[in-house]
Amino acid sequence: MPTPSGRFRWRIVALLFLATTINYIDRQVLSFTMTDEVFRKDMLDIAPDAVLTKEATDRFKVLYGDVDAAFKFAYAIGFLLAGWLVDRIGTKRGFSLGILVWSVAGVLTASVNTIAGLSWMRALLGLGESANFPSAIKTIAEWFPRRERSFANGLFNAGTNVGIILTALAVPYLILQFGWRSSFLVTGVLGFGLLIFWWLLYSKPERHPKLSTEELAYIRADAEKTPPLKVSWSRLLSYKQTWAFAVGKLMADPIWWFYMSWLPDFFNSNDALDERLDLKSFGLPFLIIYVVSDAGSIFFGWLSTQFMRWGWSANRARKTTLLICALCVVPIFFAAQTNSLTIAIALIALATAAHQGWSANMYTFASDLFPRNVVASVTGIGGMFGTVGGILLALLAGRIITAFGYLPMFIVASCSYLIALILIHLILPKLEPVKTEELMGDYMVDSKR
């Protein structure tokens, strides 16, 4: 591989980081808003001056789980559609459409008055937001050589944590000063600004006027010469590589969804903690948790890349990194048992950092194992599996939490990643990429039918 020449490709990572940050701001708003008593009363149609009883609060948590499931259901369907769409109409147009849809949904949420209305808006949000990761992973595959992809994925994926941090800092202020509707309106408008930035700044490497010929040659040095392919989902599902990626998403993604949806309530309503958090005090703890998560995303993405620079195979480098991430999550079950807010924050920060490292490396699986032309579709399939797991967990979470507390949920979280890694290794003992020629052969067979 030639010596790296130019660094313009890292500006594309910065653009993806911005997009992912805004994507997570819009999806994270509800988890903080749901702790606001006025919001709960409005959604339950309870008079503002009435007392919000424990029974009403428990009922709201169950309904909140159903709303969360509606978001994830649309997100799962959208993940498949977005992957298919981005592979066919291109990253620029496909991602632009997704940004537009999720921004409209975010703004319209400010006008809802019922749980049903909230469910519909969250479903529309999920449909639009599903375009983010298939688009971003495909962009990384287009703009980076194989050896840099896990680090680049880790960098843009760190935007998820920054989005949550900004939400934890800004949304409580908006709610306390201007009411809960302002939180959806203000954050929803951010997406329209992102849409303008994306449309003006993004092009494929071969078409970008600011990319040097030398840097383009470096990006393409290890690239396969892949002609345009239209490979069906059923054909992609026939490869064990797809299933290894899908299992990794199925077992880990629901845990991340759980963190995003329920951590504010865990800190707000957990009687075991020596100190509980509310809208006035969420900021610093969530800042700590997700700064550490950002560090995990970048560090574990870098670590896998570093192992490969030491001469390790992709199989050894990726799986070793995933094992380290999985082991870091195991202690989280104690977060639901400790009385110390500080210890709970530390354990959750470690687990979320490990998840982000896991996620950065799992996304690299798609570009490691498949040619660029089908990366978005494979990412969409894996994301759909992850979101199906998230739907099931969302439907159960509110009911489990109101009946048994948070301990069962954290026990599930502590062991999911190790189980996932075992299954991945059983499905795919070696990370052998699907050859372009094999895909072409399958494509020719399919086209003749």
Side-chain angles (χ1 to χ4, degrees):
M1 178 174 284
T3 302
S5 178
R7 303 187 62 81
F8 186 81
R9 63 193 181 280
W10 298 105
R11 298 187 187 183
I12 300 300
V13 173
L15 184 58
L16 294 175
F17 177 90
L18 175 64
T20 303
T21 298
I22 293 175
N23 180 283
Y24 263 67
I25 289 174
D26 285 343
R27 80 171 62 178
Q28 191 67 18
V29 172
L30 181 59
S31 67
F32 289 95
T33 306
M34 67 92 75
T35 65
D36 179 48
E37 186 171 315
V38 175
F39 175 74
R40 294 185 180 195
K41 288 180 179 179
D42 284 347
M43 292 300 103
L44 294 173
D45 195 24
I46 296 175
D49 56 349
V51 176
L52 191 63
T53 64
K54 183 183 184 302
E55 290 74 16
T57 299
D58 288 347
R59 177 167 161 258
F60 176 83
K61 288 183 180 181
V62 172
L63 292 173
Y64 171 72
D66 294 341
V67 170
D68 196 32
F71 169 85
K72 293 177 174 67
F73 179 76
Y75 193 84
I77 295 173
F79 234 129
L80 280 177
L81 295 176
W84 173 85
L85 187 69
V86 168
D87 276 337
R88 279 154 182 76
I89 70 173
T91 312
K92 184 170 185 173
R93 288 185 291 173
F95 198 18
S96 296
L97 182 60
I99 296 169
L100 177 62
V101 172
W102 98 53
S103 300
V104 169
V107 170
L108 289 179
T109 305
S111 65
V112 301
N113 295 297
T114 64
I115 288 289
L118 183 64
S119 296
W120 280 109
M121 287 303 102
R122 294 300 289 183
L124 184 62
L125 183 78
L127 195 64
E129 290 206 336
S130 64
N132 187 84
F133 285 98
S135 300
I137 300 305
K138 187 177 180 70
T139 298
I140 295 298
E142 291 175 342
W143 274 88
F144 284 84
R146 194 177 304 274
R147 63 161 54 179
E148 291 183 345
R149 288 177 190 168
S150 65
F151 185 45
N153 283 331
L155 287 175
F156 95 76
N157 192 51
T160 61
N161 305 306
V162 173
I164 298 172
I165 291 168
L166 293 176
T167 307
L169 294 173
V171 167
Y173 173 81
L174 289 171
I175 294 171
L176 291 171
Q177 296 297 318
F178 308 106
W180 66 264
R181 296 183 191 276
S182 68
S183 64
F184 292 103
L185 182 62
V186 172
T187 56
V189 168
L190 293 175
F192 293 104
L194 170 64
L195 178 60
I196 295 171
F197 271 103
W198 176 258
W199 190 259
L200 293 178
L201 297 179
Y202 183 79
S203 294
K204 294 182 72 171
E206 291 81 1
R207 300 175 187 170
H208 208 294
K210 294 186 178 180
L211 184 68
S212 68
T213 304
E214 293 79 10
E215 188 172 3
L216 178 61
Y218 174 72
I219 292 170
R220 292 289 177 258
D222 64 354
E224 297 183 30
K225 306 300 181 182
T226 53
L229 299 174
K230 294 182 179 180
V231 182
S232 66
W233 295 330
S234 61
R235 178 58 61 183
L236 289 173
L237 286 170
S238 70
Y239 293 102
K240 60 184 180 180
Q241 288 88 342
T242 303
W243 284 102
F245 177 67
V247 165
K249 300 292 286 177
L250 173 67
M251 298 297 293
D253 280 13
I255 308 305
W256 181 249
W257 290 106
F258 166 69
Y259 297 150
M260 288 197 305
S261 299
W262 289 97
L263 281 186
D265 182 72
F266 169 73
F267 287 117
N268 178 251
S269 64
N270 184 7
D271 293 330
L273 293 175
D274 54 15
E275 180 184 351
R276 290 198 287 178
L277 304 180
D278 57 22
L279 287 171
K280 296 179 181 178
S281 55
F282 279 136
L284 181 60
F286 276 81
L287 175 65
I288 293 169
I289 289 170
Y290 289 105
V291 164
V292 174
S293 298
D294 255 340
S297 179
I298 295 169
F299 172 75
F300 288 114
W302 169 85
L303 183 63
S304 181
T305 298
Q306 187 62 36
F307 285 153
M308 293 178 71
R309 285 176 177 166
W310 290 346
W312 290 24
S313 66
N315 183 71
R316 184 184 178 191
R318 304 290 189 227
K319 289 181 180 177
T320 299
T321 306
L322 291 177
L323 176 60
I324 296 170
C325 292
L327 293 174
C328 287
V329 182
V330 172
I332 196 175
F333 74 91
F334 189 64
Q337 296 179 293
T338 181
N339 294 322
S340 169
L341 176 64
T342 301
I343 292 175
I345 291 171
L347 291 171
I348 291 170
L350 177 62
T352 54
H355 171 87
Q356 290 296 69
W358 175 283
S359 183
N361 280 275
M362 282 307 306
Y363 278 128
T364 308
F365 264 41
S367 55
D368 279 346
L369 299 176
F370 289 90
R372 292 192 315 275
N373 286 328
V374 296
V375 165
S377 292
V378 173
T379 303
I381 291 171
M384 184 272 293
F385 273 84
T387 311
V388 167
I391 293 168
L392 297 175
L393 199 63
L395 289 171
L396 293 173
R399 293 162 174 84
I400 291 173
I401 290 167
T402 55
F404 306 106
Y406 276 91
L407 180 59
M409 303 302 298
F410 282 117
I411 290 174
V412 171
S414 70
C415 59
S416 289
Y417 298 81
L418 283 174
I419 294 172
L421 182 57
I422 292 170
L423 293 174
I424 289 169
H425 186 68
L426 290 175
I427 295 169
L428 202 62
K430 289 187 177 181
L431 299 183
E432 298 174 345
V434 175
K435 302 293 186 183
T436 304
E437 296 78 12
E438 186 178 354
L439 275 176
M440 282 296 295
D442 291 337
Y443 172 63
M444 295 302 293
V445 170
D446 285 346
S447 64
K448 291 177 181 179
R449 289 176 179 170

